[in-house]
PDB file of all heavy atoms in Angstrom:
ATOM      1  N   GLN A 232      -5.961 -13.899 -30.427  1.00 93.00           N
ATOM      2  CA  GLN A 232      -6.556 -14.938 -31.265  1.00 93.00           C
ATOM      3  C   GLN A 232      -6.792 -14.401 -32.675  1.00 93.00           C
ATOM      4  O   GLN A 232      -7.405 -13.354 -32.863  1.00 93.00           O
ATOM      5  CB  GLN A 232      -7.874 -15.430 -30.662  1.00 93.00           C
ATOM      6  CG  GLN A 232      -8.394 -16.709 -31.308  1.00 93.00           C
ATOM      7  CD  GLN A 232      -9.526 -17.337 -30.523  1.00 93.00           C
ATOM      8  OE1 GLN A 232     -10.221 -16.662 -29.768  1.00 93.00           O
ATOM      9  NE2 GLN A 232      -9.716 -18.640 -30.672  1.00 93.00           N
ATOM     10  N   LYS A 233      -6.300 -15.133 -33.652  1.00 91.00           N
ATOM     11  CA  LYS A 233      -6.420 -14.719 -35.050  1.00 91.00           C
ATOM     12  C   LYS A 233      -7.747 -15.202 -35.634  1.00 91.00           C
ATOM     13  O   LYS A 233      -8.497 -15.940 -34.991  1.00 91.00           O
ATOM     14  CB  LYS A 233      -5.245 -15.279 -35.848  1.00 91.00           C
ATOM     15  CG  LYS A 233      -3.881 -14.790 -35.357  1.00 91.00           C
ATOM     16  CD  LYS A 233      -2.748 -15.306 -36.212  1.00 91.00           C
ATOM     17  CE  LYS A 233      -2.577 -16.817 -36.063  1.00 91.00           C
ATOM     18  NZ  LYS A 233      -1.398 -17.307 -36.820  1.00 91.00           N
ATOM     19  N   ALA A 234      -8.020 -14.795 -36.854  1.00 89.00           N
ATOM     20  CA  ALA A 234      -9.296 -15.110 -37.504  1.00 89.00           C
ATOM     21  C   ALA A 234      -9.486 -16.616 -37.673  1.00 89.00           C
ATOM     22  O   ALA A 234     -10.625 -17.112 -37.657  1.00 89.00           O
ATOM     23  CB  ALA A 234      -9.387 -14.413 -38.857  1.00 89.00           C
ATOM     24  N   ASP A 235      -8.385 -17.369 -37.818  1.00 87.00           N
ATOM     25  CA  ASP A 235      -8.486 -18.818 -38.011  1.00 87.00           C
ATOM     26  C   ASP A 235      -8.613 -19.565 -36.686  1.00 87.00           C
ATOM     27  O   ASP A 235      -8.648 -20.808 -36.664  1.00 87.00           O
ATOM     28  CB  ASP A 235      -7.294 -19.342 -38.811  1.00 87.00           C
ATOM     29  CG  ASP A 235      -5.958 -19.121 -38.099  1.00 87.00           C
ATOM     30  OD1 ASP A 235      -5.948 -18.581 -36.964  1.00 87.00           O
ATOM     31  OD2 ASP A 235      -4.912 -19.472 -38.681  1.00 87.00           O
ATOM     32  N   GLY A 236      -8.674 -18.826 -35.563  1.00 87.00           N
ATOM     33  CA  GLY A 236      -8.832 -19.455 -34.257  1.00 87.00           C
ATOM     34  C   GLY A 236      -7.530 -19.743 -33.541  1.00 87.00           C
ATOM     35  O   GLY A 236      -7.532 -20.040 -32.347  1.00 87.00           O
ATOM     36  N   GLU A 237      -6.415 -19.671 -34.248  1.00 90.00           N
ATOM     37  CA  GLU A 237      -5.116 -19.901 -33.626  1.00 90.00           C
ATOM     38  C   GLU A 237      -4.696 -18.664 -32.828  1.00 90.00           C
ATOM     39  O   GLU A 237      -5.186 -17.558 -33.054  1.00 90.00           O
ATOM     40  CB  GLU A 237      -4.062 -20.222 -34.691  1.00 90.00           C
ATOM     41  CG  GLU A 237      -4.347 -21.491 -35.485  1.00 90.00           C
ATOM     42  CD  GLU A 237      -4.336 -22.736 -34.617  1.00 90.00           C
ATOM     43  OE1 GLU A 237      -3.450 -22.824 -33.736  1.00 90.00           O
ATOM     44  OE2 GLU A 237      -5.188 -23.616 -34.819  1.00 90.00           O
ATOM     45  N   PHE A 238      -3.749 -18.875 -31.902  1.00 94.00           N
ATOM     46  CA  PHE A 238      -3.275 -17.783 -31.064  1.00 94.00           C
ATOM     47  C   PHE A 238      -1.831 -17.428 -31.409  1.00 94.00           C
ATOM     48  O   PHE A 238      -1.039 -18.302 -31.775  1.00 94.00           O
ATOM     49  CB  PHE A 238      -3.347 -18.168 -29.585  1.00 94.00           C
ATOM     50  CG  PHE A 238      -4.733 -18.159 -29.010  1.00 94.00           C
ATOM     51  CD1 PHE A 238      -5.568 -19.259 -29.166  1.00 94.00           C
ATOM     52  CD2 PHE A 238      -5.201 -17.068 -28.300  1.00 94.00           C
ATOM     53  CE1 PHE A 238      -6.843 -19.273 -28.630  1.00 94.00           C
ATOM     54  CE2 PHE A 238      -6.476 -17.067 -27.748  1.00 94.00           C
ATOM     55  CZ  PHE A 238      -7.301 -18.160 -27.918  1.00 94.00           C
ATOM     56  N   GLU A 239      -1.518 -16.157 -31.279  1.00 95.00           N
ATOM     57  CA  GLU A 239      -0.132 -15.722 -31.343  1.00 95.00           C
ATOM     58  C   GLU A 239       0.178 -14.895 -30.109  1.00 95.00           C
ATOM     59  O   GLU A 239      -0.739 -14.381 -29.444  1.00 95.00           O
ATOM     60  CB  GLU A 239       0.130 -14.895 -32.600  1.00 95.00           C
ATOM     61  CG  GLU A 239      -0.650 -13.608 -32.699  1.00 95.00           C
ATOM     62  CD  GLU A 239      -0.353 -12.853 -33.991  1.00 95.00           C
ATOM     63  OE1 GLU A 239       0.344 -13.411 -34.855  1.00 95.00           O
ATOM     64  OE2 GLU A 239      -0.805 -11.695 -34.117  1.00 95.00           O
ATOM     65  N   ILE A 240       1.459 -14.784 -29.788  1.00 95.00           N
ATOM     66  CA  ILE A 240       1.893 -14.033 -28.616  1.00 95.00           C
ATOM     67  C   ILE A 240       2.456 -12.697 -29.086  1.00 95.00           C
ATOM     68  O   ILE A 240       3.392 -12.663 -29.889  1.00 95.00           O
ATOM     69  CB  ILE A 240       2.943 -14.813 -27.814  1.00 95.00           C
ATOM     70  CG1 ILE A 240       2.327 -16.096 -27.244  1.00 95.00           C
ATOM     71  CG2 ILE A 240       3.507 -13.957 -26.688  1.00 95.00           C
ATOM     72  CD1 ILE A 240       3.321 -16.988 -26.524  1.00 95.00           C
TER      73      ILE A 240
END
Side-chain angles (χ1 to χ4, degrees):
Q232 193 168 24
K233 299 183 292 184
D235 62 1
E237 298 297 319
F238 285 83
E239 62 181 8
I240 296 175

